[in-house]
Amino acid sequence: MTRHAILWDMDGTLIDSEPVHGLAFDAAVRALGLIIPDGFHDDQIGADGEHVFQALVDQTGISMGLDAWLALKWHHFCDHADRIERREPVSRVAEKLAAQNTPMAVVSNSTPEEVVLGLKMTGLAHISDVIISRADVEEGKPDPEGYLLAASRLRRQPDNCLVVEDSLLGSKAGVAAGMSVLFHPQSPLTDMRLLPKGASYLAPDADPMETIVRFLTNGNLEEA
């Protein structure tokens, strides 16, 4: 009998790193002397660095290259890395499942360096040997490539995988991969029409353990 697998998003799901990404982004923008609208970075949550950079180019007309931008943001990200925290109880659930040898992977739109640092700072580097970063795929989320690659490395079919995500963009990637998706955001979803068809919603303050165990047991998220 094939064991089901859990595919975790990292930023905002396992760890609370979005504020640090925001601080790094703002510091990099200030260093370049750019002016952007309020909430600009919030609108990019879940997108990979390339798409965030392109949005910045479209907004400001900045002429620097992507690599230079990523290096600048990484510098400031490291400056604030001590502020990265676990997201509970999600990270605790991941550790419990890892201790039970549950097949799991981490699939992130972040750079390899950001993924390694985020997991290291929160003590979660041990939960899985299967780590997919933006560098491992041609297209980042919402493209399903990252989740499909993780399933392949775990030797699981997509319909045997559960994606746990905090962003709508990442949830769309999981649905497009043909996987079950648990959308577990950090802030309540006020308009359920935004939830991708096929994804299930779990409130921010809810413990995901029961829902995840249900999937691991029978492949369903809903109670029978």
Side-chain angles (χ1 to χ4, degrees), residues 44-96:
Q44 309 303 319
I45 288 179
D48 61 36
E50 183 176 346
H51 283 81
V52 174
F53 175 68
Q54 187 57 54
L56 185 65
V57 171
D58 293 342
Q59 178 66 44
T60 66
I62 186 174
S63 59
M64 75 187 303
L66 172 62
D67 289 343
W69 163 257
L70 291 177
L72 179 61
K73 181 175 176 285
W74 170 243
H75 169 75
H76 291 292
F77 188 84
C78 291
D79 285 345
H80 297 287
D82 59 345
R83 301 191 187 192
I84 299 174
E85 298 179 348
R86 291 181 175 217
R87 182 185 176 193
E88 298 293 3
V90 185
S91 61
R92 189 163 59 250
V93 169
E95 285 192 312
K96 289 180 180 178

mmCIF file of all heavy atoms in Angstrom, residues 44-96:
data_model
loop_
_atom_site.group_PDB
_atom_site.id
_atom_site.type_symbol
_atom_site.label_atom_id
_atom_site.label_comp_id
_atom_site.label_asym_id
_atom_site.label_seq_id
_atom_site.Cartn_x
_atom_site.Cartn_y
_atom_site.Cartn_z
ATOM 1 N N GLN A 44 3.011 40.804 -3.451
ATOM 2 C CA GLN A 44 3.893 39.834 -4.101
ATOM 3 C C GLN A 44 4.112 38.576 -3.263
ATOM 4 O O GLN A 44 4.884 37.695 -3.654
ATOM 5 C CB GLN A 44 5.260 40.483 -4.382
ATOM 6 C CG GLN A 44 5.213 41.810 -5.102
ATOM 7 C CD GLN A 44 4.478 41.738 -6.428
ATOM 8 O OE1 GLN A 44 4.643 40.777 -7.173
ATOM 9 N NE2 GLN A 44 3.683 42.741 -6.727
ATOM 10 N N ILE A 45 3.462 38.476 -2.109
ATOM 11 C CA ILE A 45 3.683 37.333 -1.221
ATOM 12 C C ILE A 45 3.367 36.028 -1.940
ATOM 13 O O ILE A 45 2.314 35.871 -2.555
ATOM 14 C CB ILE A 45 2.830 37.459 0.056
ATOM 15 C CG1 ILE A 45 3.399 38.575 0.943
ATOM 16 C CG2 ILE A 45 2.804 36.140 0.831
ATOM 17 C CD1 ILE A 45 2.623 38.812 2.208
ATOM 18 N N GLY A 46 4.307 35.109 -1.867
ATOM 19 C CA GLY A 46 4.157 33.809 -2.517
ATOM 20 C C GLY A 46 4.845 33.725 -3.859
ATOM 21 O O GLY A 46 5.120 32.628 -4.351
ATOM 22 N N ALA A 47 5.137 34.887 -4.459
ATOM 23 C CA ALA A 47 5.807 34.894 -5.763
ATOM 24 C C ALA A 47 7.302 34.677 -5.589
ATOM 25 O O ALA A 47 7.878 34.967 -4.540
ATOM 26 C CB ALA A 47 5.548 36.216 -6.481
ATOM 27 N N ASP A 48 7.969 34.158 -6.625
ATOM 28 C CA ASP A 48 9.406 33.959 -6.533
ATOM 29 C C ASP A 48 10.137 35.276 -6.780
ATOM 30 O O ASP A 48 9.550 36.281 -7.190
ATOM 31 C CB ASP A 48 9.884 32.873 -7.497
ATOM 32 C CG ASP A 48 9.601 33.195 -8.954
ATOM 33 O OD1 ASP A 48 9.679 34.369 -9.345
ATOM 34 O OD2 ASP A 48 9.299 32.261 -9.725
ATOM 35 N N GLY A 49 11.445 35.260 -6.499
ATOM 36 C CA GLY A 49 12.231 36.483 -6.596
ATOM 37 C C GLY A 49 12.236 37.107 -7.974
ATOM 38 O O GLY A 49 12.254 38.337 -8.121
ATOM 39 N N GLU A 50 12.205 36.274 -8.999
ATOM 40 C CA GLU A 50 12.212 36.784 -10.365
ATOM 41 C C GLU A 50 10.953 37.579 -10.665
ATOM 42 O O GLU A 50 11.011 38.662 -11.275
ATOM 43 C CB GLU A 50 12.345 35.618 -11.343
ATOM 44 C CG GLU A 50 12.439 36.033 -12.803
ATOM 45 C CD GLU A 50 12.666 34.868 -13.737
ATOM 46 O OE1 GLU A 50 13.016 33.778 -13.238
ATOM 47 O OE2 GLU A 50 12.502 35.052 -14.958
ATOM 48 N N HIS A 51 9.800 37.059 -10.214
ATOM 49 C CA HIS A 51 8.550 37.763 -10.467
ATOM 50 C C HIS A 51 8.440 39.037 -9.632
ATOM 51 O O HIS A 51 7.914 40.056 -10.095
ATOM 52 C CB HIS A 51 7.366 36.840 -10.191
ATOM 53 C CG HIS A 51 7.120 35.829 -11.268
ATOM 54 N ND1 HIS A 51 7.840 34.663 -11.366
ATOM 55 C CD2 HIS A 51 6.254 35.824 -12.321
ATOM 56 C CE1 HIS A 51 7.428 33.972 -12.419
ATOM 57 N NE2 HIS A 51 6.476 34.653 -13.010
ATOM 58 N N VAL A 52 8.950 38.983 -8.402
ATOM 59 C CA VAL A 52 8.954 40.195 -7.565
ATOM 60 C C VAL A 52 9.832 41.263 -8.203
ATOM 61 O O VAL A 52 9.463 42.444 -8.261
ATOM 62 C CB VAL A 52 9.455 39.869 -6.142
ATOM 63 C CG1 VAL A 52 9.607 41.150 -5.327
ATOM 64 C CG2 VAL A 52 8.493 38.917 -5.441
ATOM 65 N N PHE A 53 10.983 40.850 -8.692
ATOM 66 C CA PHE A 53 11.891 41.800 -9.338
ATOM 67 C C PHE A 53 11.255 42.401 -10.585
ATOM 68 O O PHE A 53 11.350 43.608 -10.819
ATOM 69 C CB PHE A 53 13.204 41.103 -9.705
ATOM 70 C CG PHE A 53 14.149 41.980 -10.478
ATOM 71 C CD1 PHE A 53 14.755 43.072 -9.877
ATOM 72 C CD2 PHE A 53 14.424 41.715 -11.807
ATOM 73 C CE1 PHE A 53 15.632 43.889 -10.590
ATOM 74 C CE2 PHE A 53 15.292 42.522 -12.531
ATOM 75 C CZ PHE A 53 15.901 43.613 -11.921
ATOM 76 N N GLN A 54 10.580 41.560 -11.393
ATOM 77 C CA GLN A 54 9.943 42.087 -12.602
ATOM 78 C C GLN A 54 8.851 43.090 -12.242
ATOM 79 O O GLN A 54 8.687 44.112 -12.930
ATOM 80 C CB GLN A 54 9.357 40.949 -13.425
ATOM 81 C CG GLN A 54 8.820 41.390 -14.781
ATOM 82 C CD GLN A 54 9.867 42.090 -15.634
ATOM 83 O OE1 GLN A 54 10.952 41.538 -15.857
ATOM 84 N NE2 GLN A 54 9.573 43.314 -16.081
ATOM 85 N N ALA A 55 8.105 42.806 -11.160
ATOM 86 C CA ALA A 55 7.087 43.760 -10.717
ATOM 87 C C ALA A 55 7.732 45.077 -10.293
ATOM 88 O O ALA A 55 7.189 46.161 -10.543
ATOM 89 C CB ALA A 55 6.283 43.166 -9.563
ATOM 90 N N LEU A 56 8.905 44.984 -9.656
ATOM 91 C CA LEU A 56 9.626 46.190 -9.245
ATOM 92 C C LEU A 56 10.113 46.977 -10.458
ATOM 93 O O LEU A 56 10.021 48.212 -10.484
ATOM 94 C CB LEU A 56 10.813 45.793 -8.359
ATOM 95 C CG LEU A 56 11.614 46.939 -7.744
ATOM 96 C CD1 LEU A 56 10.760 47.727 -6.756
ATOM 97 C CD2 LEU A 56 12.862 46.399 -7.054
ATOM 98 N N VAL A 57 10.606 46.273 -11.463
ATOM 99 C CA VAL A 57 11.038 46.919 -12.705
ATOM 100 C C VAL A 57 9.863 47.625 -13.367
ATOM 101 O O VAL A 57 9.968 48.776 -13.811
ATOM 102 C CB VAL A 57 11.652 45.888 -13.665
ATOM 103 C CG1 VAL A 57 11.894 46.508 -15.044
ATOM 104 C CG2 VAL A 57 12.960 45.340 -13.102
ATOM 105 N N ASP A 58 8.726 46.932 -13.446
ATOM 106 C CA ASP A 58 7.539 47.519 -14.075
ATOM 107 C C ASP A 58 7.076 48.763 -13.322
ATOM 108 O O ASP A 58 6.581 49.719 -13.940
ATOM 109 C CB ASP A 58 6.401 46.491 -14.115
ATOM 110 C CG ASP A 58 6.707 45.316 -15.033
ATOM 111 O OD1 ASP A 58 7.615 45.441 -15.879
ATOM 112 O OD2 ASP A 58 6.051 44.270 -14.892
ATOM 113 N N GLN A 59 7.234 48.754 -11.997
ATOM 114 C CA GLN A 59 6.765 49.862 -11.178
ATOM 115 C C GLN A 59 7.717 51.058 -11.211
ATOM 116 O O GLN A 59 7.292 52.208 -11.233
ATOM 117 C CB GLN A 59 6.591 49.400 -9.721
ATOM 118 C CG GLN A 59 6.145 50.474 -8.744
ATOM 119 C CD GLN A 59 4.747 50.981 -9.035
ATOM 120 O OE1 GLN A 59 3.841 50.195 -9.301
ATOM 121 N NE2 GLN A 59 4.556 52.296 -9.001
ATOM 122 N N THR A 60 9.021 50.777 -11.209
ATOM 123 C CA THR A 60 10.001 51.859 -11.019
ATOM 124 C C THR A 60 10.888 52.129 -12.234
ATOM 125 O O THR A 60 11.536 53.182 -12.300
ATOM 126 C CB THR A 60 10.919 51.534 -9.836
ATOM 127 O OG1 THR A 60 11.723 50.378 -10.154
ATOM 128 C CG2 THR A 60 10.096 51.257 -8.583
ATOM 129 N N GLY A 61 10.971 51.167 -13.155
ATOM 130 C CA GLY A 61 11.861 51.338 -14.294
ATOM 131 C C GLY A 61 13.317 51.119 -13.963
ATOM 132 O O GLY A 61 14.208 51.502 -14.740
ATOM 133 N N ILE A 62 13.598 50.504 -12.829
ATOM 134 C CA ILE A 62 14.976 50.256 -12.410
ATOM 135 C C ILE A 62 15.745 49.491 -13.485
ATOM 136 O O ILE A 62 15.192 48.607 -14.138
ATOM 137 C CB ILE A 62 14.988 49.489 -11.073
ATOM 138 C CG1 ILE A 62 16.405 49.339 -10.549
ATOM 139 C CG2 ILE A 62 14.320 48.140 -11.220
ATOM 140 C CD1 ILE A 62 16.475 48.725 -9.173
ATOM 141 N N SER A 63 17.025 49.836 -13.680
ATOM 142 C CA SER A 63 17.791 49.247 -14.780
ATOM 143 C C SER A 63 18.772 48.172 -14.330
ATOM 144 O O SER A 63 19.446 47.576 -15.174
ATOM 145 C CB SER A 63 18.569 50.353 -15.517
ATOM 146 O OG SER A 63 19.448 51.023 -14.627
ATOM 147 N N MET A 64 18.876 47.892 -13.043
ATOM 148 C CA MET A 64 19.819 46.870 -12.584
ATOM 149 C C MET A 64 19.342 45.481 -12.984
ATOM 150 O O MET A 64 18.154 45.265 -13.269
ATOM 151 C CB MET A 64 20.008 46.955 -11.065
ATOM 152 C CG MET A 64 18.851 46.407 -10.246
ATOM 153 S SD MET A 64 19.052 46.708 -8.458
ATOM 154 C CE MET A 64 20.625 45.943 -8.103
ATOM 155 N N GLY A 65 20.264 44.521 -12.998
ATOM 156 C CA GLY A 65 19.921 43.163 -13.387
ATOM 157 C C GLY A 65 19.352 42.353 -12.238
ATOM 158 O O GLY A 65 19.489 42.722 -11.056
ATOM 159 N N LEU A 66 18.750 41.215 -12.580
ATOM 160 C CA LEU A 66 18.132 40.351 -11.575
ATOM 161 C C LEU A 66 19.159 39.850 -10.563
ATOM 162 O O LEU A 66 18.906 39.865 -9.355
ATOM 163 C CB LEU A 66 17.458 39.162 -12.260
ATOM 164 C CG LEU A 66 16.917 38.066 -11.341
ATOM 165 C CD1 LEU A 66 15.829 38.607 -10.419
ATOM 166 C CD2 LEU A 66 16.390 36.890 -12.166
ATOM 167 N N ASP A 67 20.330 39.407 -11.035
ATOM 168 C CA ASP A 67 21.325 38.857 -10.121
ATOM 169 C C ASP A 67 21.790 39.899 -9.110
ATOM 170 O O ASP A 67 21.984 39.587 -7.924
ATOM 171 C CB ASP A 67 22.530 38.317 -10.899
ATOM 172 C CG ASP A 67 22.205 37.045 -11.677
ATOM 173 O OD1 ASP A 67 21.171 36.416 -11.370
ATOM 174 O OD2 ASP A 67 22.975 36.695 -12.588
ATOM 175 N N ALA A 68 21.971 41.121 -9.564
ATOM 176 C CA ALA A 68 22.403 42.192 -8.663
ATOM 177 C C ALA A 68 21.325 42.488 -7.626
ATOM 178 O O ALA A 68 21.623 42.716 -6.438
ATOM 179 C CB ALA A 68 22.733 43.453 -9.458
ATOM 180 N N TRP A 69 20.057 42.470 -8.068
ATOM 181 C CA TRP A 69 18.959 42.695 -7.126
ATOM 182 C C TRP A 69 18.886 41.587 -6.081
ATOM 183 O O TRP A 69 18.751 41.856 -4.885
ATOM 184 C CB TRP A 69 17.632 42.799 -7.877
ATOM 185 C CG TRP A 69 16.450 42.610 -6.976
ATOM 186 C CD1 TRP A 69 15.669 41.500 -6.863
ATOM 187 C CD2 TRP A 69 15.946 43.553 -6.017
ATOM 188 N NE1 TRP A 69 14.716 41.690 -5.900
ATOM 189 C CE2 TRP A 69 14.846 42.936 -5.360
ATOM 190 C CE3 TRP A 69 16.303 44.849 -5.660
ATOM 191 C CZ2 TRP A 69 14.125 43.576 -4.368
ATOM 192 C CZ3 TRP A 69 15.578 45.499 -4.664
ATOM 193 C CH2 TRP A 69 14.498 44.863 -4.029
ATOM 194 N N LEU A 70 18.984 40.345 -6.521
ATOM 195 C CA LEU A 70 18.900 39.225 -5.593
ATOM 196 C C LEU A 70 20.048 39.255 -4.588
ATOM 197 O O LEU A 70 19.863 38.939 -3.401
ATOM 198 C CB LEU A 70 18.915 37.900 -6.353
ATOM 199 C CG LEU A 70 17.675 37.598 -7.200
ATOM 200 C CD1 LEU A 70 17.850 36.299 -7.968
ATOM 201 C CD2 LEU A 70 16.413 37.539 -6.337
ATOM 202 N N ALA A 71 21.239 39.645 -5.043
ATOM 203 C CA ALA A 71 22.386 39.742 -4.141
ATOM 204 C C ALA A 71 22.163 40.837 -3.099
ATOM 205 O O ALA A 71 22.496 40.667 -1.914
ATOM 206 C CB ALA A 71 23.660 40.016 -4.935
ATOM 207 N N LEU A 72 21.601 41.955 -3.523
ATOM 208 C CA LEU A 72 21.321 43.058 -2.600
ATOM 209 C C LEU A 72 20.274 42.655 -1.570
ATOM 210 O O LEU A 72 20.456 42.893 -0.366
ATOM 211 C CB LEU A 72 20.847 44.286 -3.387
ATOM 212 C CG LEU A 72 20.480 45.525 -2.555
ATOM 213 C CD1 LEU A 72 21.676 46.022 -1.765
ATOM 214 C CD2 LEU A 72 19.909 46.616 -3.467
ATOM 215 N N LYS A 73 19.204 42.024 -2.019
ATOM 216 C CA LYS A 73 18.164 41.602 -1.086
ATOM 217 C C LYS A 73 18.694 40.527 -0.137
ATOM 218 O O LYS A 73 18.361 40.523 1.058
ATOM 219 C CB LYS A 73 16.940 41.074 -1.846
ATOM 220 C CG LYS A 73 15.805 40.641 -0.921
ATOM 221 C CD LYS A 73 14.567 40.239 -1.698
ATOM 222 C CE LYS A 73 13.485 39.726 -0.754
ATOM 223 N NZ LYS A 73 13.767 38.380 -0.243
ATOM 224 N N TRP A 74 19.496 39.607 -0.643
ATOM 225 C CA TRP A 74 20.066 38.561 0.203
ATOM 226 C C TRP A 74 20.924 39.159 1.321
ATOM 227 O O TRP A 74 20.890 38.697 2.463
ATOM 228 C CB TRP A 74 20.885 37.611 -0.652
ATOM 229 C CG TRP A 74 21.721 36.627 0.118
ATOM 230 C CD1 TRP A 74 23.074 36.536 0.126
ATOM 231 C CD2 TRP A 74 21.247 35.575 0.964
ATOM 232 N NE1 TRP A 74 23.494 35.511 0.932
ATOM 233 C CE2 TRP A 74 22.385 34.898 1.466
ATOM 234 C CE3 TRP A 74 19.991 35.139 1.359
ATOM 235 C CZ2 TRP A 74 22.301 33.813 2.336
ATOM 236 C CZ3 TRP A 74 19.887 34.051 2.227
ATOM 237 C CH2 TRP A 74 21.034 33.416 2.702
ATOM 238 N N HIS A 75 21.682 40.186 0.988
ATOM 239 C CA HIS A 75 22.512 40.876 1.992
ATOM 240 C C HIS A 75 21.641 41.381 3.133
ATOM 241 O O HIS A 75 21.953 41.171 4.316
ATOM 242 C CB HIS A 75 23.255 42.035 1.335
ATOM 243 C CG HIS A 75 23.924 42.953 2.304
ATOM 244 N ND1 HIS A 75 25.081 42.629 2.969
ATOM 245 C CD2 HIS A 75 23.562 44.198 2.743
ATOM 246 C CE1 HIS A 75 25.422 43.625 3.780
ATOM 247 N NE2 HIS A 75 24.529 44.594 3.652
ATOM 248 N N HIS A 76 20.554 42.024 2.802
ATOM 249 C CA HIS A 76 19.670 42.566 3.839
ATOM 250 C C HIS A 76 18.865 41.458 4.525
ATOM 251 O O HIS A 76 18.531 41.574 5.706
ATOM 252 C CB HIS A 76 18.738 43.609 3.227
ATOM 253 C CG HIS A 76 19.454 44.867 2.808
ATOM 254 N ND1 HIS A 76 20.002 45.737 3.718
ATOM 255 C CD2 HIS A 76 19.730 45.374 1.576
ATOM 256 C CE1 HIS A 76 20.575 46.746 3.071
ATOM 257 N NE2 HIS A 76 20.426 46.542 1.770
ATOM 258 N N PHE A 77 18.557 40.396 3.794
ATOM 259 C CA PHE A 77 17.858 39.262 4.401
ATOM 260 C C PHE A 77 18.709 38.655 5.513
ATOM 261 O O PHE A 77 18.205 38.339 6.604
ATOM 262 C CB PHE A 77 17.557 38.211 3.324
ATOM 263 C CG PHE A 77 16.676 37.084 3.782
ATOM 264 C CD1 PHE A 77 15.295 37.216 3.786
ATOM 265 C CD2 PHE A 77 17.235 35.879 4.198
ATOM 266 C CE1 PHE A 77 14.475 36.173 4.206
ATOM 267 C CE2 PHE A 77 16.426 34.825 4.622
ATOM 268 C CZ PHE A 77 15.047 34.983 4.620
ATOM 269 N N CYS A 78 19.991 38.495 5.255
ATOM 270 C CA CYS A 78 20.898 37.955 6.271
ATOM 271 C C CYS A 78 20.967 38.860 7.494
ATOM 272 O O CYS A 78 21.083 38.374 8.629
ATOM 273 C CB CYS A 78 22.292 37.763 5.683
ATOM 274 S SG CYS A 78 22.411 36.441 4.451
ATOM 275 N N ASP A 79 20.895 40.171 7.267
ATOM 276 C CA ASP A 79 20.949 41.121 8.376
ATOM 277 C C ASP A 79 19.793 40.930 9.353
ATOM 278 O O ASP A 79 19.925 41.223 10.542
ATOM 279 C CB ASP A 79 20.922 42.560 7.850
ATOM 280 C CG ASP A 79 22.257 42.981 7.253
ATOM 281 O OD1 ASP A 79 23.263 42.278 7.497
ATOM 282 O OD2 ASP A 79 22.298 43.997 6.539
ATOM 283 N N HIS A 80 18.648 40.463 8.847
ATOM 284 C CA HIS A 80 17.442 40.338 9.676
ATOM 285 C C HIS A 80 17.083 38.880 9.968
ATOM 286 O O HIS A 80 16.019 38.607 10.534
ATOM 287 C CB HIS A 80 16.259 41.008 8.969
ATOM 288 C CG HIS A 80 16.435 42.480 8.763
ATOM 289 N ND1 HIS A 80 16.355 43.394 9.783
ATOM 290 C CD2 HIS A 80 16.685 43.193 7.634
ATOM 291 C CE1 HIS A 80 16.549 44.613 9.309
ATOM 292 N NE2 HIS A 80 16.758 44.513 8.008
ATOM 293 N N ALA A 81 17.966 37.936 9.612
ATOM 294 C CA ALA A 81 17.635 36.508 9.707
ATOM 295 C C ALA A 81 17.329 36.055 11.129
ATOM 296 O O ALA A 81 16.596 35.076 11.319
ATOM 297 C CB ALA A 81 18.760 35.663 9.121
ATOM 298 N N ASP A 82 17.858 36.763 12.120
ATOM 299 C CA ASP A 82 17.599 36.345 13.505
ATOM 300 C C ASP A 82 16.152 36.574 13.917
ATOM 301 O O ASP A 82 15.732 36.130 14.987
ATOM 302 C CB ASP A 82 18.538 37.063 14.473
ATOM 303 C CG ASP A 82 18.413 38.581 14.423
ATOM 304 O OD1 ASP A 82 17.811 39.097 13.458
ATOM 305 O OD2 ASP A 82 18.916 39.241 15.345
ATOM 306 N N ARG A 83 15.384 37.232 13.061
ATOM 307 C CA ARG A 83 13.965 37.465 13.343
ATOM 308 C C ARG A 83 13.067 36.364 12.773
ATOM 309 O O ARG A 83 11.853 36.378 12.996
ATOM 310 C CB ARG A 83 13.515 38.821 12.781
ATOM 311 C CG ARG A 83 14.279 40.011 13.339
ATOM 312 C CD ARG A 83 13.596 41.300 12.953
ATOM 313 N NE ARG A 83 14.383 42.477 13.324
ATOM 314 C CZ ARG A 83 13.927 43.709 13.309
ATOM 315 N NH1 ARG A 83 12.664 43.941 12.918
ATOM 316 N NH2 ARG A 83 14.694 44.727 13.649
ATOM 317 N N ILE A 84 13.638 35.447 12.010
ATOM 318 C CA ILE A 84 12.837 34.351 11.458
ATOM 319 C C ILE A 84 12.392 33.438 12.592
ATOM 320 O O ILE A 84 13.190 33.041 13.434
ATOM 321 C CB ILE A 84 13.648 33.539 10.425
ATOM 322 C CG1 ILE A 84 14.078 34.429 9.256
ATOM 323 C CG2 ILE A 84 12.823 32.360 9.905
ATOM 324 C CD1 ILE A 84 15.004 33.732 8.270
ATOM 325 N N GLU A 85 11.122 33.104 12.609
ATOM 326 C CA GLU A 85 10.578 32.254 13.661
ATOM 327 C C GLU A 85 9.813 31.080 13.055
ATOM 328 O O GLU A 85 9.461 31.094 11.873
ATOM 329 C CB GLU A 85 9.626 33.059 14.556
ATOM 330 C CG GLU A 85 10.293 34.218 15.273
ATOM 331 C CD GLU A 85 9.314 35.001 16.123
ATOM 332 O OE1 GLU A 85 8.085 34.780 15.966
ATOM 333 O OE2 GLU A 85 9.753 35.835 16.928
ATOM 334 N N ARG A 86 9.565 30.086 13.883
ATOM 335 C CA ARG A 86 8.696 28.997 13.473
ATOM 336 C C ARG A 86 7.255 29.482 13.417
ATOM 337 O O ARG A 86 6.866 30.394 14.137
ATOM 338 C CB ARG A 86 8.763 27.852 14.480
ATOM 339 C CG ARG A 86 10.068 27.105 14.534
ATOM 340 C CD ARG A 86 9.942 26.003 15.545
ATOM 341 N NE ARG A 86 11.125 25.163 15.581
ATOM 342 C CZ ARG A 86 11.102 23.861 15.772
ATOM 343 N NH1 ARG A 86 9.952 23.240 15.960
ATOM 344 N NH2 ARG A 86 12.211 23.166 15.790
ATOM 345 N N ARG A 87 6.474 28.825 12.576
ATOM 346 C CA ARG A 87 5.028 29.018 12.645
ATOM 347 C C ARG A 87 4.447 27.818 13.383
ATOM 348 O O ARG A 87 4.618 26.678 12.954
ATOM 349 C CB ARG A 87 4.412 29.120 11.255
ATOM 350 C CG ARG A 87 2.900 29.381 11.331
ATOM 351 C CD ARG A 87 2.224 29.382 9.990
ATOM 352 N NE ARG A 87 0.795 29.544 10.155
ATOM 353 C CZ ARG A 87 -0.102 29.347 9.207
ATOM 354 N NH1 ARG A 87 0.286 28.989 7.994
ATOM 355 N NH2 ARG A 87 -1.382 29.513 9.438
ATOM 356 N N GLU A 88 3.819 28.091 14.479
ATOM 357 C CA GLU A 88 3.224 27.025 15.280
ATOM 358 C C GLU A 88 1.700 27.061 15.160
ATOM 359 O O GLU A 88 1.124 28.130 14.981
ATOM 360 C CB GLU A 88 3.632 27.182 16.751
ATOM 361 C CG GLU A 88 5.124 27.084 17.017
ATOM 362 C CD GLU A 88 5.699 25.702 16.765
ATOM 363 O OE1 GLU A 88 4.972 24.784 16.322
ATOM 364 O OE2 GLU A 88 6.910 25.541 17.004
ATOM 365 N N PRO A 89 1.056 25.891 15.237
ATOM 366 C CA PRO A 89 1.636 24.573 15.512
ATOM 367 C C PRO A 89 2.120 23.814 14.273
ATOM 368 O O PRO A 89 2.460 22.646 14.385
ATOM 369 C CB PRO A 89 0.488 23.837 16.190
ATOM 370 C CG PRO A 89 -0.732 24.370 15.523
ATOM 371 C CD PRO A 89 -0.441 25.833 15.255
ATOM 372 N N VAL A 90 2.147 24.477 13.123
ATOM 373 C CA VAL A 90 2.468 23.756 11.885
ATOM 374 C C VAL A 90 3.845 23.093 11.950
ATOM 375 O O VAL A 90 4.000 21.917 11.610
ATOM 376 C CB VAL A 90 2.403 24.692 10.665
ATOM 377 C CG1 VAL A 90 2.617 23.914 9.379
ATOM 378 C CG2 VAL A 90 1.077 25.423 10.619
ATOM 379 N N SER A 91 4.858 23.854 12.384
ATOM 380 C CA SER A 91 6.204 23.284 12.409
ATOM 381 C C SER A 91 6.300 22.121 13.386
ATOM 382 O O SER A 91 7.034 21.147 13.152
ATOM 383 C CB SER A 91 7.226 24.364 12.759
ATOM 384 O OG SER A 91 6.981 24.916 14.034
ATOM 385 N N ARG A 92 5.560 22.194 14.474
ATOM 386 C CA ARG A 92 5.547 21.099 15.446
ATOM 387 C C ARG A 92 4.916 19.844 14.838
ATOM 388 O O ARG A 92 5.383 18.720 15.068
ATOM 389 C CB ARG A 92 4.794 21.525 16.701
ATOM 390 C CG ARG A 92 4.892 20.544 17.860
ATOM 391 C CD ARG A 92 4.487 21.170 19.169
ATOM 392 N NE ARG A 92 3.122 21.673 19.174
ATOM 393 C CZ ARG A 92 2.803 22.971 19.197
ATOM 394 N NH1 ARG A 92 3.751 23.899 19.195
ATOM 395 N NH2 ARG A 92 1.542 23.347 19.214
ATOM 396 N N VAL A 93 3.872 20.034 14.046
ATOM 397 C CA VAL A 93 3.241 18.911 13.344
ATOM 398 C C VAL A 93 4.244 18.271 12.380
ATOM 399 O O VAL A 93 4.360 17.044 12.307
ATOM 400 C CB VAL A 93 1.991 19.391 12.572
ATOM 401 C CG1 VAL A 93 1.485 18.299 11.643
ATOM 402 C CG2 VAL A 93 0.907 19.814 13.546
ATOM 403 N N ALA A 94 4.979 19.107 11.651
ATOM 404 C CA ALA A 94 5.968 18.590 10.702
ATOM 405 C C ALA A 94 7.029 17.766 11.415
ATOM 406 O O ALA A 94 7.450 16.708 10.928
ATOM 407 C CB ALA A 94 6.618 19.739 9.943
ATOM 408 N N GLU A 95 7.470 18.215 12.569
ATOM 409 C CA GLU A 95 8.477 17.471 13.324
ATOM 410 C C GLU A 95 7.935 16.128 13.809
ATOM 411 O O GLU A 95 8.635 15.108 13.764
ATOM 412 C CB GLU A 95 8.959 18.295 14.509
ATOM 413 C CG GLU A 95 9.894 19.427 14.118
ATOM 414 C CD GLU A 95 10.574 20.048 15.312
ATOM 415 O OE1 GLU A 95 9.873 20.356 16.302
ATOM 416 O OE2 GLU A 95 11.807 20.235 15.248
ATOM 417 N N LYS A 96 6.689 16.117 14.282
ATOM 418 C CA LYS A 96 6.086 14.870 14.744
ATOM 419 C C LYS A 96 5.977 13.863 13.610
ATOM 420 O O LYS A 96 6.276 12.672 13.770
ATOM 421 C CB LYS A 96 4.707 15.141 15.345
ATOM 422 C CG LYS A 96 4.738 15.856 16.682
ATOM 423 C CD LYS A 96 3.324 16.073 17.206
ATOM 424 C CE LYS A 96 3.348 16.786 18.556
ATOM 425 N NZ LYS A 96 1.970 17.043 19.058
#
